[in-house]
Amino acid sequence: MNRREFLNQSSMAIALATFATTTVGAAAASPESIQSKGAPDMSQPTPRRPERLTRDNAVLLVVDHQIGLYTGVRDIDTLSLKHNIVGLTRAMLALKVPVIVTTTTEKMWGPLIPELTEALRGIKPIERTTVNAWDDKRVVDAVKATGRKKLVVTGISTDVCLAFPAIAALADGFESYAVIDASGGFTRTQVDMGVLRMQQAGVVPVGYSNVAVEILADNAAPEADAVYAALGIPFGSLVFGLRQYYSRT
């Protein structure tokens, strides 16, 4: 075999091998598996945008803010805790958001703190014996009767009275929002573990003022002054005072 015949045969062999490889690869790839570069994967669901908290979809559940339980709170100053839960409650009432209140075994833990009783304007707590407020049918029925699906929860203690119903409500189709600074725990570790457990379950941790302001939505709303006054935010009072001043000039 001369040099020219060798080169011709080698070129033919390479061409046949390339054709075979291309054919096998094309056969192995189904039309469904081929996508244009940069094209979106339409098989993946589009993430659902969370619906905002509003005065039409929210309900506040206040769990076990009782005198006896307040004596054990260690993660937050009790004066700050009272300020936050009372402020949140008053703001929700100003926004006409339903408020459900429950206590547990008052002969053991005492009644609601007086500041909250005054803010509730005659709303009677549901006294129960269950550890988890969501295990009491009266509490669940009261929440369901509002027709709202956004459950804003506070409780003493954070890892039990708050976490247990907030997590349990998820199974009943509610979206739970845990108000961490309007709740209190008996140790920092218990609070941290309670918040972590809620987050892992899908509960949304929030603060007392941002919940109310999100529901308010518009500073020009007629309830704005009452909401900011209820929350007792210093800069909110300053802004209100400046607005009153400039409205007279």
Side-chain angles (χ1 to χ4, degrees):
M1 182 184 296
N2 60 34
R3 178 182 177 87
R4 177 171 293 181
E5 290 175 339
F6 174 80
L7 290 175
N8 287 339
Q9 289 186 12
S10 298
S11 298
M12 182 66 72
I14 293 172
L16 289 172
T18 302
F19 175 79
T21 302
T22 304
T23 303
V24 172
S30 63
E32 292 78 11
S33 67
I34 300 175
Q35 288 187 343
S36 300
K37 185 177 182 181
D41 183 3
M42 302 306 292
S43 66
Q44 295 299 319
T46 302
R48 185 175 65 86
R49 183 177 180 180
E51 184 183 359
R52 293 180 180 180
L53 286 165
T54 71
R55 61 192 79 199
D56 297 318
N57 65 20
V59 53
L60 174 63
L61 176 61
V62 179
V63 183
D64 303 351
H65 284 262
Q66 295 165 251
I67 293 174
L69 292 171
Y70 264 63
T71 62
V73 172
R74 295 292 181 270
D75 70 306
I76 182 174
D77 177 80
T78 53
L79 290 178
S80 297
L81 177 56
K82 289 178 179 180
H83 170 275
N84 295 351
I85 182 57
V86 171
L88 174 63
T89 301
R90 289 189 185 278
M92 290 294 204
L93 291 172
L95 291 163
K96 296 181 173 56
V97 172
V99 179
I100 311 299
V101 187
T102 180
T103 59
T104 183
T105 323
E106 291 188 11
K107 66 181 180 181
M108 179 183 297
W109 301 115
L112 286 177
I113 58 171
E115 297 88 344
L116 190 54
T117 299
E118 181 181 352
L120 288 168
R121 304 174 187 177
I123 297 175
K124 186 177 180 180
I126 301 171
E127 185 182 2
R128 58 179 217 287
T129 59
T130 60
V131 172
N132 185 344
W134 208 254
D135 286 341
D136 191 300
K137 187 176 183 297
R138 295 171 300 162
V139 176
V140 177
D141 288 346
V143 173
K144 288 183 176 180
T146 67
R148 280 76 183 311
K149 285 295 186 179
K150 300 276 193 177
L151 184 66
V152 180
V153 192
T154 78
I156 309 297
S157 62
T158 302
D159 58 319
V160 175
C161 304
L162 168 59
F164 289 2
I167 294 172
L170 296 174
D172 282 346
F174 289 86
E175 296 177 40
S176 296
Y177 295 77
V179 191
I180 306 304
D181 60 354
S183 305
F186 305 139
T187 70
R188 182 73 257 173
T189 299
Q190 288 177 328
V191 170
D192 291 344
M193 295 302 100
V195 173
L196 180 61
R197 183 178 181 184
M198 285 188 283
Q199 286 182 297
Q200 290 176 334
V203 178
V204 181
V206 292
Y208 88 103
S209 60
N210 57 53
V211 167
V213 172
E214 180 176 348
I215 294 174
L216 174 63
D218 190 343
N219 288 322
E223 305 90 352
D225 291 346
V227 168
Y228 284 113
L231 296 177
I233 303 173
F235 71 82
S237 301
L238 174 61
V239 170
F240 173 74
L242 289 173
R243 189 180 70 179
Q244 291 294 94
Y245 174 79
Y246 284 112
S247 67
R248 296 195 297 266
T249 59

